[in-house]
Amino acid sequence: MEVPPVEKPYPPDSAKIQLKIADWSDKYPIRLADAIKNRESRRSYTNESLSLDELSFLLWSVQGVRYVSGGHAFRNVPSAGCRHALETYLAVFNVEDLESGLYRYLPLSHELILEFTDRKLKEKMIKAAFGQIFTGYSAVTFIWTAIPYRMEWRYGLDSHKVIAMDAGHVGQNLYLACEAIGAGTCTIGAYDQEYFDELLRLDGEEEFVIYSAPVGKI
């Protein structure tokens, strides 16, 4: 069977937003022990915006690519067989230099593309999460989808177990990275599957929502 691409394709005429690249250990120094000790699920955020630097750091932390070799993208989170079946979307509400809307992260080039804008995105995000209001009152809400074939290509029926494990790895990295920038998050597994998939314009079979996490300053 053909090897699936390591990144979901996008229209060639898509407008791309270049994210920041930096020596993050110098810019956001924090002891690992402190990040682990302070980590907790936070559901209340201030009105302070995230900077594009901070968002770039969070994306690098959860899906950043170190190098590509042999059809594999080696990232900052582990994945079964280095298959990385997840895609990262962002519901942006309060990030400097970014229009509110639904974005997708391109890990290979460390860029964003705008999927669409929707003046009712905040209300729709809250509805998708069964009324958990902090999903719409964050600076940005991360949404991870699964493309199962990317993992099934190697692991067949065992894929669904390891995709869920991969989501856990990503969520924990986000928790720890948030501690470095004075932000908080709370990962969410309770959502309306059909509504959320429809909101992101997914087919619900070849790609579907698997996890989400609002992020805001605390």
Side-chain angles (χ1 to χ4, degrees):
M1 300 292 289
E2 183 179 355
V3 181
V6 298
E7 181 179 83
K8 181 180 176 180
Y10 54 88
D13 60 347
S14 297
K16 299 178 183 177
I17 300 161
Q18 181 65 55
L19 294 167
K20 302 298 179 67
I21 298 173
D23 185 341
W24 299 118
S25 60
D26 286 342
K27 191 171 182 64
Y28 302 120
I30 185 173
R31 293 177 62 243
L32 177 60
D34 290 336
I36 293 173
K37 180 180 67 176
N38 296 331
R39 184 222 60 81
E40 64 178 80
S41 293
R42 306 179 195 272
R43 300 173 178 83
S44 181
Y45 315 117
T46 70
N47 293 324
E48 183 181 352
S49 61
L50 286 184
S51 69
L52 197 58
D53 278 16
E54 290 168 332
L55 181 61
S56 300
F57 167 66
L58 295 180
L59 287 165
W60 173 83
S61 299
V62 300
Q63 283 290 276
V65 173
R66 298 176 179 181
Y67 62 94
V68 178
S69 177
H72 297 86
F74 294 84
R75 310 191 190 196
N76 289 331
V77 288
S79 175
C82 198
R83 294 311 309 151
H84 294 286
L86 305 182
E87 289 286 328
T88 305
Y89 294 80
L90 303 171
V92 170
F93 302 115
N94 190 13
V95 176
E96 295 173 7
D97 303 318
L98 284 184
E99 177 185 9
S100 294
L102 198 287
Y103 293 78
R104 178 158 59 94
Y105 178 51
L106 305 179
L108 293 180
S109 56
H110 195 51
E111 295 174 310
L112 294 176
I113 56 172
L114 176 63
E115 294 281 342
F116 61 84
T117 59
D118 186 333
R119 61 185 179 85
K120 293 187 177 181
L121 183 60
K122 178 178 293 188
E123 291 80 4
K124 290 179 179 179
M125 285 294 297
I126 294 171
K127 181 178 179 180
F130 294 132
Q132 298 179 82
I133 61 172
F134 58 100
T135 59
Y137 285 87
S138 59
V140 57
T141 294
F142 284 65
I143 308 157
W144 290 287
T145 66
I147 298 180
Y149 175 63
R150 203 180 286 168
M151 191 68 76
E152 290 166 351
W153 176 82
R154 179 163 183 173
Y155 292 112
L157 292 178
D158 286 335
S159 299
H160 306 100
K161 176 177 67 176
V162 291
I163 287 172
M165 291 177 181
D166 282 7
H169 300 148
V170 167
Q172 182 69 354
N173 265 32
L174 182 65
Y175 270 104
L176 298 179
C178 281
E179 291 298 323
I181 63 169
T185 187
C186 177
T187 50
I188 294 175
Y191 52 84
D192 184 324
Q193 186 72 59
E194 291 186 1
Y195 183 85
F196 217 164
D197 289 342
E198 182 179 339
L199 174 58
L200 267 63
R201 304 176 182 178
L202 309 175
D203 64 10
E205 295 183 4
E206 301 302 322
E207 183 179 7
F208 51 84
V209 174
I210 191 171
Y211 211 19
S212 68
V215 173
K217 286 302 186 76
I218 55 173

